């Protein structure tokens, strides 16, 4: 057995696959419920909804969004050293940190909603309403993040996965119902769209609360195990509370800054877009509508495959930290190689598939909306999936090897380029909202380039090119051609999108799977690391696709 098999067999990809499948399911549920909700509140309401979430996301990041990743990193490092007292102290101190930071930020959003609206979003009248509904969610998510980080630090992603699915189910039901009834109750209000958006944000709040409850119950069941670990820990040197808070601070802050810079790009996009369109004399309703199409028809769809890279990065960090702590450089190299390769295997076909089927997907999911604009956005901007996947994983690698500041620096450099590019495109071209799509592609492109240079420099190795990038790319191109042909053939015969897209999807999955294996993109051991990998290997052997 080769070293790759040994080193990659510790389960981090399987744990990541659990989280990835949960994340994909969550995104699918998110798309399903966003369809009726988008139709209920309209593009104007979607614009307000997305603007409110831009504010919510950045304030959540500033307060505590980095807690799951930071706590998992710190807890994992303590556990691999068998310092369970220190791991438990990290959890308790992190919880207090999250309660204070999340509570302060929640109060700021609730009482400062009108100021935020008048200062930053004068064109989005009524955005203060959904912001107030979102305020308690910041506190809930802060506390929830510490629980998730604790479980991830102990190399189990199942509690996070289960809580995410439950959270999204509750979110879906309440968002649609609340949006409908709030718009009915406030049908005479001049802020009707804002009340519809508030219904969507109400679902977010109750979804997060349900996830927190299930995580707390799992923690109560797991607590005796934690206590036994602490009692067995005979280490005499345990950090003081002050030292632990210092560790938390220096671990959380770089993650928060990196995520804040990314989220700032979204807020800057909205702000610059509003000012640029106002200077051109574009009607406010058109501005909000185009913003709603961009956020709902484009960003929502590309977020589904991007969720895979986020899940792999989250699951990789505890395992990678353990290898770094024990000084196993070969294991570090193998895990990084597999994480990047896994992401590219998913990212390339996702980007090509969304580009090829952009218009029918938009027409199928949002039949009452402007499918032409949304389709073109998706066609031209789906390539961002590849760059986001690569930048997310490489940022996780740098954070795992204690190069915490580098993702922040790289994000700031990319943000500077992003701002200039967006301003020039909006000011001197007629691209309009399409300029936001261009920015959404170039931002992760710069980050992943800078991250890749740093990973190569500090780990002293280069990512394998042929199997990681070339084979997935060629297989995706072939898949795209076949998928496009099959869809158009069935649509020509049936004139029904929902009928034509099913065989097109089946052909896409089957052809890509066959091409990657036939070209040697995955060997048997690597295939085993995928969800249902052993079943897929049996199917591959039946068609003589796996090389021996």
């Amino acid at each position: 057995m080769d070293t790759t098999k040994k080193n990659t067999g510790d389960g981090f990809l399987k744990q990541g696959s659990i989280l990835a499948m949960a994340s994909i399911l969550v995104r699918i549920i998110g798309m399903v419920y966003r369809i009726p909700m988008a139709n209920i509140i309209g593009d104007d309401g979607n614009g307000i909804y997305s603007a409110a979430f831009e504010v919510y996301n950045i304030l959540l990041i500033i307060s505590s969004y980095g807690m799951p990743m930071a706590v998992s990193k710190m807890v994992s490092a303590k556990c691999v050293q068998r310092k369970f007292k220190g791991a438990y102290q990290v959890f308790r101190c992190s919880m207090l940190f999250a309660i204070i930071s999340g509570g302060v930020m929640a109060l700021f959003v609730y009482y400062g909603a009108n100021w935020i609206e008048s200062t930053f979003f004068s064109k989005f009248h009524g955005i203060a309403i959904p912001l107030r509904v979102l305020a308690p969610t910041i506190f809930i998510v802060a506390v929830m993040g510490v629980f998730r980080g604790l479980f991830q630090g102990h190399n189990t992603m199942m509690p996070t996965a289960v809580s995410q699915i439950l959270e999204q189910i509750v979110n879906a039901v309440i968002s649609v119902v609340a949006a409908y009834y709030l718009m009915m109750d406030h049908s005479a209000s001049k802020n009707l769209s804002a009340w519809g958006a508030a219904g969507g944000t109400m679902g977010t709040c109750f979804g997060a609360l349900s996830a927190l409850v299930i995580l707390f119950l799992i923690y109560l069941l797991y607590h005796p195990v934690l206590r036994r670990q602490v009692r067995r820990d005979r280490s005499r040197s345990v950090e003081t509370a002050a030292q632990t808070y210092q560790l938390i601070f220096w671990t959380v802050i770089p993650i928060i800054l990196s995520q804040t810079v990314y989220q700032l790009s979204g807020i800057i996009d909205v702000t610059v877009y509003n000012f640029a369109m106002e200077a051109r004399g574009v009607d406010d309703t058109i501005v909000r509508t185009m913003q709603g199409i961009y956020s709902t028809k484009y960003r929502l769809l590309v977020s589904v495959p991007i969720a895979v890279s986020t899940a792999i990065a989250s699951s990789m960090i505890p395992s990678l930290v353990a290898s770094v702590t024990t000084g196993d450089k070969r294991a570090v190299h193998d895990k990084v190689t597999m994480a990047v390769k896994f992401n590219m295997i998913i990212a390339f076909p996702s980007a090509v598939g969304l580009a090829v089927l952009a218009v029918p997907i938009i027409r199928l999911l949002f039949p009452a909306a402007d499918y032409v604009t949304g389709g073109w956005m998706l066609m031209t901007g789906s390539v961002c999936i590849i760059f986001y996947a690569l930048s997310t994983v490489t940022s996780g690698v740098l954070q795992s090897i204690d190069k915490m500041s580098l993702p922040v620096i790289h994000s700031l450099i990319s943000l500077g380029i992003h701002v200039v590019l967006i301003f020039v495109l909006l000011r001197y071209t007629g691209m309009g909202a399409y300029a936001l799509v261009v920015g959404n592609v170039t931002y992760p492109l710069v980050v992943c380039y800078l991250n890749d240079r740093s990973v190569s420099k500090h780990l002293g190795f280069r990512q394998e090119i042929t199997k990681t990038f070339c084979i997935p790319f060629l297989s995706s191109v072939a898949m795209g051609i076949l998928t496009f042909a099959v869809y158009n053939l069935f649509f020509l015969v049936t004139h029904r999108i929902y009928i034509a897209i099913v065989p097109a999807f089946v052909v896409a999955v089957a052809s890509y799977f066959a091409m990657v294996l036939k070209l040697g993109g995955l060997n048997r051991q690597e295939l085993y690391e995928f969800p249902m990998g052993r079943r897929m290997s049996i199917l591959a052997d039946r068609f003589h696709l796996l090389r021996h």
Side-chain angles (χ1 to χ4, degrees), residues 16-29 161 164-165 168 303-304 306-308 310-312:
S17 299
I18 292 171
L19 199 55
M21 290 195 308
S23 299
I24 291 174
L25 181 59
V26 164
R27 294 305 192 281
I28 292 173
I29 295 172
Q164 284 181 343
I165 294 171
Q168 192 70 324
S303 71
V304 177
I306 291 173
V308 175
T310 304
I312 295 300

Side-chain angles (χ1 to χ4, degrees), residues 525-541:
Q525 191 64 31
E526 290 169 339
L527 186 60
Y528 287 165
E529 296 291 337
F530 280 71
M532 298 184 295
R534 293 186 181 274
R535 293 184 182 180
M536 288 193 293
S537 70
I538 295 173
L539 182 64
D541 286 334

Side-chain angles (χ1 to χ4, degrees), residues 347-358 360-361 378 382 385 476 479-480 483 508:
F348 273 102
S350 299
V352 172
L354 283 178
V356 168
L357 298 176
I361 288 173
L378 197 56
S382 64
I385 294 168
S476 298
M479 176 208 76
T483 302

Side-chain angles (χ1 to χ4, degrees), residues 18 78 81 110 147 242 264 297 341 343 349 355 394 438 500 508 519 537:
I18 292 171
K78 297 292 183 184
Q81 296 172 329
Y110 186 84
F147 282 118
L264 271 174
K297 280 75 175 179
K341 185 174 182 178
N343 268 276
T394 50
V438 173
L519 293 175
S537 70

Side-chain angles (χ1 to χ4, degrees), residues 367-476:
D370 179 3
Y371 65 83
V372 176
T373 303
W376 275 105
M377 285 184 178
L378 197 56
M379 269 190 280
T380 55
S382 64
V383 68
C384 76
I385 294 168
I386 298 168
F387 304 134
Y388 272 117
L390 194 54
S391 63
T392 300
V393 171
T394 50
S395 290
V397 172
L398 292 172
Q399 289 160 354
S400 300
I401 62 175
D402 290 327
K403 301 299 178 183
M404 307 288 289
S405 62
L406 289 179
V408 181
I409 295 171
H410 299 163
S411 298
L412 284 171
I413 293 171
S414 183
L415 180 62
I417 297 172
H418 175 84
V419 171
V420 173
L421 178 63
I422 291 295
F423 176 78
V424 170
L425 292 177
L426 289 172
R427 179 68 178 83
Y428 299 105
T429 73
M431 293 181 66
Y434 290 99
L436 304 182
V437 177
V438 173
N440 196 54
V441 173
T442 56
Y443 177 84
L445 172 61
V446 175
V447 173
C448 73
Y449 170 73
L450 296 174
N451 280 356
D452 181 66
R453 289 182 58 188
S454 295
V455 169
S456 298
K457 174 183 175 182
H458 293 288
L459 289 184
F461 90 114
R462 296 291 299 177
Q463 180 73 33
E464 186 275 334
I465 299 296
T466 303
K467 293 183 179 181
T468 304
F469 299 103
C470 296
I471 290 178
F473 170 72
L474 293 174
S475 301
S476 298

Side-chain angles (χ1 to χ4, degrees), residues 53-67:
F53 259 89
E54 293 288 358
V55 177
Y56 161 77
N57 284 335
I58 193 168
L59 294 177
L60 178 66
I61 288 168
I62 291 172
S63 62
S64 56
Y65 192 80
M67 291 307 293

